[in-house]
Every structure is written in C-alpha cells, then in structure tokens.
C-alpha cells in the first residue's frame, strides 16, 4: 500500500531522532511554541486523528476487502505518525494545544475558522462524519474515499508548508514523506472511486 513506507520515515527511532534533530544535528536549537515545527506537530496530530476515526468508521460499514485494507493502512500509519508528533512536543517541553487558531504557524490562522467541526482544510464536518456512520456498503465506500481524498489534500498542503518552513530535520523528512505517501494514496483512491462510478469532490 502507498503509505507503507511513509510510516517508517523515522525508522522506528522517533525519540532518539527527534532529540538529535532538535539539537546540534540540525544546527538549530529546540523549537519554540510559536514555531512552524511545533505548530505543524500540534495541527497535524489533530488532522491525523480524524483520519484514524474515519478509517475505523468505514471498517465497520463495508465488507469490501480493498477499502478495509486501505482504511487499516491509513489508520495504522497516521496513528503512528500522530504518536511521533506528540512525542516530539513532549521532548521539546511544549504544550500539545495552543490558544492560537489552527494553522497560525502557516499565516492562515484567521482564514480557517472551524466549520461544523472541520478545524482545518480537508477535515470532514460533523455532518459528514454522521453521514459516514450511517452509510453502508458501496455508499459508505464512496463517501469514505471522497472524504479521505479531501483530507489528504489538506494534509499535503500542511506537510508541504512544514517541509519548507520547519527547522528540525527529522520532522521535515516526515513531512516530505507525508506529501509523497498521501499523494500516492490520492491516486489510488481516484481509481477506487472510478471503479464505483464516482469521483473525488472538487
């Protein structure tokens, strides 16, 4: 599956790599609470949590092996990455939540007001999650693939910003891995939607 390699971006040595990346290994000091590094870690952890939630929902709404396998891969990968992001915040001694709006570190904090639970671009609304919870079979598969495609697009935008602006080398590598892995999965989901007579929403 496309994301299989993405989850291993850190090579399993998250704590040690993060410590090295935040110190002399990257030539920078430990990032501050308002840095791109901290902002990305906080926001992407929230973004990933919804992807995990949607993947667990669809697992119980369809018996299709391909969709269930994709959902499992996404849930596993993004849960692992979320743990890494939150772990880095712990290592840096930084809070996991901020009083600033999401994406402030990208200069977009005031332009992304939460809409029915969708705190950041690409995130599903509460109403969309409720629809997914009540859908079954092909309907659930299409809705999940459409919602996850939009979710990945939003995630890629954030990861590209970190790859360009973050200073901790291991976090920059993780962000770039997210871009590559999630774009590959968008392509995979486009094919799965086509098989079901549907396509991603604009």
């Amino acid at each position: 599956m496309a994301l299989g390699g993405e989850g291993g971006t850190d090579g399993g040595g998250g704590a040690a790599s993060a410590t090295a990346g935040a110190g002399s290994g990257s030539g920078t000091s430990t990032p501050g609470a308002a840095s791109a590094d901290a902002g990305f870690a906080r926001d992407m952890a929230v973004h990933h949590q919804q992807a995990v939630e949607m993947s667990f929902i669809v697992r119980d709404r369809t018996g299709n092996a391909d969709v269930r396998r994709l959902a499992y891969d996404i849930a596993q990968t993004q849960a692992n990455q979320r743990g890494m992001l939150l772990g880095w915040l712990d290592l840096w001694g930084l809070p996991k939540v901020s009083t600033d709006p999401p994406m402030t570190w990208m200069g977009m904090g005031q332009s992304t007001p939460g809409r029915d639970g969708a705190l950041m671009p690409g995130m599903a609304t509460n109403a969309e999650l409720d629809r997914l919870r009540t859908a079954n079979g092909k309907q659930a598969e299409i809705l999940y693939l459409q919602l996850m495609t939009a979710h990945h697009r939003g995630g890629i935008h954030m990861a590209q910003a970190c790859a360009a602006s973050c200073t901790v080398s291991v976090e920059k590598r993780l962000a770039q891995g997210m871009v590559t892995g999630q774009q590959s999965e968008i392509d995979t989901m486009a094919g799965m939607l086509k098989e079901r007579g549907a396509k991603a929403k604009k």
Side-chain angles (χ1 to χ4, degrees):
M1 193 58 60
L3 278 180
E6 183 189 352
T9 302
D10 192 49
S17 297
T19 302
S24 59
S26 65
T28 62
S29 59
T30 299
S35 65
D37 301 87
F40 176 74
R42 284 191 299 260
D43 287 352
M44 190 58 83
V46 173
H47 208 268
H48 273 17
Q49 181 57 35
Q50 190 185 72
V52 173
E53 179 184 3
M54 289 195 297
S55 296
F56 281 131
I57 291 172
V58 80
R59 180 195 62 180
D60 298 330
R61 309 308 300 176
T62 179
N64 182 269
D66 290 337
V67 173
R68 286 171 62 91
R69 188 179 302 113
L70 173 69
Y72 176 82
D73 284 353
I74 290 174
Q76 289 295 106
T77 297
Q78 298 212 6
N80 288 340
Q81 291 177 347
R82 183 173 185 272
M84 292 165 61
L85 295 166
L86 295 176
W88 289 336
L89 289 169
D90 277 338
L91 284 170
W92 299 333
L94 299 177
K96 297 183 178 68
V97 295
S98 173
T99 56
D100 293 328
M103 302 177 75
T104 296
W105 61 278
M106 293 175 63
M108 297 178 60
Q110 300 305 318
S111 62
T112 57
R115 178 177 62 89
D116 188 27
L119 301 177
M120 287 167 267
M123 290 186 70
T125 64
N126 291 330
E128 288 170 332
L129 291 177
D130 287 341
R131 284 176 54 206
L132 184 60
R133 291 187 184 99
T134 58
N136 286 294
K138 182 179 177 181
Q139 180 187 26
E141 295 161 16
I142 290 173
L143 182 56
Y144 171 76
L145 293 168
Q146 290 174 332
L147 291 176
M148 192 57 71
T149 296
H151 204 273
H152 274 11
R153 286 172 178 163
I156 286 173
H157 179 56
M158 292 169 61
Q160 288 172 329
C162 177
S165 302
C166 288
T167 60
V168 177
S169 58
V170 68
E171 189 177 21
K172 289 171 73 77
R173 289 197 300 272
L174 177 67
Q176 188 56 56
M178 289 179 186
V179 173
T180 302
Q182 291 189 22
Q183 183 57 58
S184 179
E185 284 208 328
I186 286 174
D187 296 341
T188 296
M189 290 189 288
M192 296 173 77
L193 281 166
K194 185 176 182 180
E195 291 171 359
R196 291 161 175 78
K199 58 184 178 180
K201 294 181 179 180
K202 299 296 185 182

